[in-house]
């Protein structure tokens, strides 16, 4: 079975400050890892994903996440946030073999304060 | 890019009535679609996998007679909540697979049963 834990339900941070959104997962099989973002009144959008290769993955808008197998973590970071980053962020896993369904964390609400 | 559209985005219905939510892949064909549900402060949970031309596969604990899924074409899957009750009030979101390019989510539908 797979499970995803996002310990921080709400993260307020001042504009231009760094932020880290934590994600830990548990799985008995190999998984792919994802971060999705949901802006108000919009659907889920893929932010970045780890499938294989380099453990550090980056998005086009400055976010990055690092896959740490030993700690079973996939924390999301950004060195300097903008007001427009205010959104709900979901960490998710998908089994490498079988399915194609996602297992999501409970989400982290990021609020950037001017 | 690939787009998945859900309709309606918000719906209020009376207890005991049925409500249908549509999920459409606008610019690609999707042989498989997924339906998720999210209760407040909880994860998005997979309800069922919808396969075009065949019966949906439901996750454990999801009542297939209550949540009817029809995947009649390669671009449309519908979720019908039958005899809705207030405890069915939730956020429902679908996703669709686009060949080898990934999984895309709809905007989600807020259902309120009064």
């Amino acid at each position: 079975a797979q499970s995803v834990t996002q310990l921080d339900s709400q993260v307020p941070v001042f504009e231009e400050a760094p932020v880290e959104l934590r994600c830990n997962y548990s799985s008995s099989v190999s998984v792919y890892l994802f971060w999705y973002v949901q802006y108000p009144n919009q659907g889920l959008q893929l932010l970045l994903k780890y499938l294989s290769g380099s453990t550090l993955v980056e998005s086009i808008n400055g976010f990055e996440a690092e896959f740490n197998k030993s700690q079973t973590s996939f924390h999301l970071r950004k060195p300097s946030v903008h007001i427009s980053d205010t959104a709900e962020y979901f960490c998710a896993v998908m089994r490498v073999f079988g399915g194609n369904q996602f297992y999501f964390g409970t989400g982290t609400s990021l609020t950037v304060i001017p | 890019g690939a787009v998945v559209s859900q309709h309606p985005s918000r719906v209020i219905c009376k207890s005991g009535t049925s409500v249908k939510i549509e999920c459409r892949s606008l610019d690609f064909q999707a042989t498989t679609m997924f339906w998720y549900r999210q209760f407040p402060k909880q994860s998005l949970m997979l309800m069922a996998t919808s396969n075009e031309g065949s019966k949906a596969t439901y996750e454990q604990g999801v009542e297939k007679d209550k949540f009817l899924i029809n995947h009649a074409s390669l671009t449309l899957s519908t979720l019908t909540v039958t005899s809705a009750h207030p405890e069915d009030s939730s956020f429902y979101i679908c996703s669709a697979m686009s060949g080898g390019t990934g999984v895309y989510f709809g905007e989600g539908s807020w259902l309120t049963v009064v």
Side-chain angles (χ1 to χ4, degrees), chain A residues 15-85:
Chain A
E15 191 175 15
E16 297 184 3
V19 70
E20 178 180 81
L21 306 183
R22 295 179 293 169
C23 172
N24 288 89
Y25 70 94
S26 173
S27 177
S28 57
V29 298
S30 296
V31 294
Y32 299 128
L33 296 148
F34 303 81
W35 275 99
Y36 278 86
V37 58
Q38 185 177 31
Y39 298 104
N41 299 314
Q42 296 186 30
L44 293 176
Q45 300 175 29
L46 178 65
L47 189 59
L48 44 76
K49 61 186 176 184
Y50 171 77
L51 303 182
S52 65
S54 172
T55 57
L56 184 65
V57 291
E58 300 177 350
S59 71
I60 59 174
N61 57 353
F63 283 95
E64 65 178 30
E66 186 162 19
F67 168 53
N68 188 318
K69 188 174 183 179
S70 63
Q71 297 184 6
T72 60
S73 67
F74 192 54
H75 301 331
L76 181 70
R77 302 184 184 93
K78 189 170 185 178
S80 176
V81 295
H82 301 290
I83 297 291
S84 59
D85 293 324

Side-chain angles (χ1 to χ4, degrees), chain B residues 6-7 20 27 38 44-45 48 50 52 57 63-64 81 85 97 100-101 105-106:
Chain B
Q6 256 182 268
H7 178 80
K20 180 185 291 186
D27 53 359
Q38 183 184 29
L44 286 88
M45 299 295 294
S50 171
E52 188 270 335
T57 303
E63 301 174 59
K64 61 180 181 180
V81 183
H85 289 98
M97 288 186 61
T101 66
F105 285 86

Side-chain angles (χ1 to χ4, degrees), chain B:
Chain B
V3 176
V4 175
S5 176
Q6 256 182 268
H7 178 80
S9 58
R10 291 182 180 273
V11 59
I12 301 173
C13 71
K14 290 184 177 181
S15 184
T17 63
S18 297
V19 61
K20 180 185 291 186
I21 301 170
E22 295 184 345
C23 178
R24 292 181 185 272
S25 56
L26 298 185
D27 53 359
F28 65 97
Q29 295 182 330
T31 56
T32 303
M33 292 184 174
F34 301 91
W35 286 97
Y36 295 83
R37 176 173 58 186
Q38 183 184 29
F39 292 109
K41 307 295 184 184
Q42 297 185 29
S43 298
L44 286 88
M45 299 295 294
L46 179 68
M47 297 176 66
T49 303
S50 171
N51 301 296
E52 188 270 335
S54 65
K55 291 183 179 180
T57 303
Y58 290 82
E59 295 298 300
Q60 190 173 9
V62 178
E63 301 174 59
K64 61 180 181 180
D65 294 329
K66 181 172 185 60
F67 298 99
L68 301 179
I69 292 174
N70 188 319
H71 196 152
S73 77
L74 287 171
T75 59
L76 174 64
S77 175
T78 60
L79 168 68
T80 302
V81 183
T82 62
S83 186
H85 289 98
E87 57 265 32
D88 297 324
S89 298
S90 185
F91 180 69
Y92 294 87
I93 191 166
C94 69
S95 69
M97 288 186 61
S98 170
T101 66
V103 179
Y104 300 90
F105 285 86
E107 308 95 329
S109 300
W110 289 97
L111 170 63
T112 302
V113 184
V114 297

